[in-house]
Amino acid sequence: MSKLTEFSVHSSNTCNSKVSPTETRKSNPTVTAKKIAVIKGDGIGPEIVTETLKVLDKIANKYGHTFEYNHVLLGGVAIDEVGMPLPPETITACKNSDAVLLGAVGGPKWDFGPGHMRPEAGLLGIRKELGLFANLRPVKLFSALANACPLKNVTEIDMVIVRELIGGAYFGERNTFTDENGNKVANDSMTYRDFEVERVAKVAFDLAKKRHNKVISVDKANVLDSSRLWREVVAKIRMDEYPNVELSDMLVDNAAMQLIHNPAQFDVIVTENLFGDILSDEASMLTGSLGMLPSASMANGGFGLYEPCHGSAPDIAGRDIANPLATILSAAMMLRLSLNMPNESDDIENSVNAVLDQGYRTADIVGKSEAEKCKVVGCKEMGDLIVNKL
Ligand code: IPM
Ligand code: MG
């Protein structure tokens, strides 16, 4: 099986308090222990992260590494325990780590607070604090899961969505007020600066060079000023620095349709924050389930936060039926992109592939026509199967 992503922002790897995450750092070959900040979060977060730590422990054991886990709070559980979604200790601990592993945050319990007191504010806050501007979401259909893909006759689906992660509407000015006519008004502004587009475009072009050399930049330039700037900057970067990479532009509404119509045309998609959020959930279904999609959120210098693209799924939390594979595959991305352990990363991806090939499935990835042939397992058992395969 080909690797989920061959890409790294830079080769070095630590993020500590002396060096900001946006600078390139030198790795120290004498230090073998890697510090990983672990955020279990809410809903199914604790279950899927627990399985992933079992997998990382097996990797440590097999390859002679030491992983030091520093468990920290974020999201709803942080609101409950310390009264805020992003405690300052969490920011410090993440900055003092080589990488961050995250489960998921959010849940109905915290849905009614003001925006800054919601679990999601903690997630957006940590992304901003760590400078994680490029979110890589590899969308790859494992051959064993072809039956779980809702499209007919799919051959290959293998693309990476590069989502800008710390700009646009999620970080623009916003307010809610009553106007002079007594109407309630809510406002979110979508702002992009040229350098914000530039740096994420470079990530996409670098990635394309290691894949099939093709970038599709998705925007809404027929309507939005921010999209017209996006398109202009992406084209200029390509002309100046990546003349051999094929670039085309696609409007976001067309892209939403093309993902279903002809997903094989996509290699690397680069797009702004809101569009990337929506398109990546859509694209995840092509892999059979949102429960299969890992992600890496990268700063300059190779530092990253690794989390599944799915949410905290509070409706199935605590029932041992969640799919841990997106988080386990996120850990594989962490080994490859931040910890410089490509063989270990391959080992995890191959194990996932092998376990799926043997017919083991969590409930979300059982294809309709293959129900009798496959063995449905819970979250823990899926974790154990991967560990035993390693
Ligand atoms: C994601 C999630 C988050 C986002 C939410 C939980 C704030 O949907 O990572 O895609 O919108 O970025
Ligand atoms: Mg999302």
Side-chain angles (χ1 to χ4, degrees):
M1 180 201 145
S2 74
K3 294 163 180 120
L4 272 177
T5 165
E6 286 268 21
F7 172 77
S8 83
V9 176
H10 283 294
S11 56
S12 60
N13 56 17
T14 56
C15 179
N16 58 47
S17 52
K18 289 176 223 93
V19 193
S20 96
T22 51
E23 289 168 34
T24 302
R25 284 162 291 267
K26 301 265 175 300
S27 56
N28 179 352
T30 60
V31 178
T32 53
K34 296 290 184 190
K35 289 187 193 161
I36 303 171
V38 178
I39 300 169
K40 288 190 169 176
D42 309 315
I44 58 171
E47 301 163 54
I48 55 182
V49 171
T50 298
E51 295 316 303
T52 304
L53 295 183
K54 275 167 32 183
V55 171
L56 285 172
D57 285 343
K58 177 71 185 279
I59 287 285
N61 205 287
K62 179 167 170 184
Y63 292 86
H65 302 306
T66 306
F67 296 136
E68 284 169 21
Y69 307 125
N70 186 3
H71 290 267
V72 288
L73 298 173
L74 184 86
V77 68
I79 295 173
D80 287 353
E81 290 197 19
V82 293
M84 61 185 100
L86 177 54
E89 302 77 50
T90 296
I91 301 172
T92 310
C94 291
K95 288 187 175 174
N96 282 328
S97 302
D98 295 300
V100 184
L101 181 70
L102 167 67
V105 300
K109 181 175 174 197
W110 306 280
D111 270 350
F112 303 99
H116 70 280
M117 281 299 285
R118 293 181 57 118
E120 291 81 0
L123 181 58
L124 297 185
I126 195 74
R127 289 172 177 171
K128 189 77 167 185
E129 282 287 341
L130 300 176
L132 306 170
F133 65 87
N135 181 220
L136 312 184
R137 301 190 158 186
V139 181
K140 188 170 172 61
L141 177 62
F142 286 81
S143 53
L145 295 186
N147 275 325
C149 172
L151 300 187
K152 281 182 283 184
N153 308 323
V154 284
T155 43
E156 226 206 325
I157 294 173
D158 181 3
M159 69 184 92
V160 180
I161 298 179
V162 180
R163 169 188 175 193
E164 198 291 324
L165 202 60
I166 53 175
Y170 294 12
F171 291 89
E173 279 179 26
R174 65 170 58 104
N175 54 10
T176 304
F177 59 96
T178 305
D179 71 8
E180 59 282 7
N181 301 317
N183 298 308
K184 210 156 183 212
V185 185
N187 166 49
D188 297 280
S189 49
M190 184 189 274
T191 304
Y192 270 101
R193 290 177 177 73
D194 49 5
F195 76 90
E196 295 174 304
V197 182
E198 229 177 273
R199 62 188 180 185
V200 74
K202 287 182 182 174
V203 169
F205 287 124
D206 282 335
L207 177 56
K209 280 168 70 175
K210 298 189 169 163
R211 293 174 47 94
H212 300 103
N213 222 31
K214 196 177 153 197
V215 172
I216 294 182
S217 171
V218 172
D219 61 39
K220 188 68 184 171
N222 54 347
V223 178
L224 301 175
D225 267 24
S226 56
S227 280
R228 285 187 276 269
L229 175 70
W230 180 278
R231 195 175 276 212
E232 183 191 314
V233 172
V234 173
K236 184 166 184 334
I237 292 290
R238 186 246 169 195
M239 206 152 71
D240 293 350
E241 298 180 36
Y242 302 89
N244 299 324
V245 179
E246 192 188 319
L247 169 69
S248 45
D249 299 303
M250 194 179 276
L251 296 173
V252 63
D253 40 358
N254 185 29
M257 182 269 282
Q258 292 294 339
L259 276 173
I260 304 300
H261 176 62
N262 178 15
Q265 73 186 289
F266 295 103
D267 177 21
V268 175
I269 293 178
V270 63
T271 192
E272 66 87 41
N273 202 343
L274 171 62
F275 298 160
D277 188 20
I278 297 169
L279 291 181
S280 57
D281 267 32
E282 183 192 357
S284 74
M285 281 314 294
L286 302 171
T287 68
S289 164
L290 185 52
M292 290 303 297
L293 213 69
S295 92
S297 303
M298 309 298 296
N300 271 330
F303 181 76
L305 177 149
Y306 299 83
E307 59 172 321
C309 293
H310 61 71
S312 59
D315 51 326
I316 60 163
R319 292 165 53 197
D320 192 33
I321 56 173
N323 183 351
L325 293 179
T327 318
I328 290 172
L329 291 168
S330 299
M333 292 183 83
M334 173 177 80
L335 296 177
R336 187 184 310 285
L337 300 179
S338 286
L339 304 185
N340 202 15
M341 298 178 180
N343 297 333
E344 293 81 338
S345 179
D346 285 351
D347 206 355
I348 294 180
E349 289 174 12
N350 292 337
S351 302
V352 170
N353 207 27
V355 166
L356 292 173
D357 274 347
Q358 285 181 335
Y360 293 103
R361 304 280 188 272
T362 45
D364 59 311
I365 47 176
V366 178
K368 290 190 182 61
S369 58
E370 57 168 349
E372 308 92 71
K373 281 183 284 157
C374 62
K375 298 153 230 169
V376 181
V377 297
C379 183
K380 280 198 189 101
E381 195 176 346
M382 184 56 96
D384 289 338
L385 285 161
I386 307 295
V387 167
N388 293 335
K389 218 13 122 195
L390 282 166

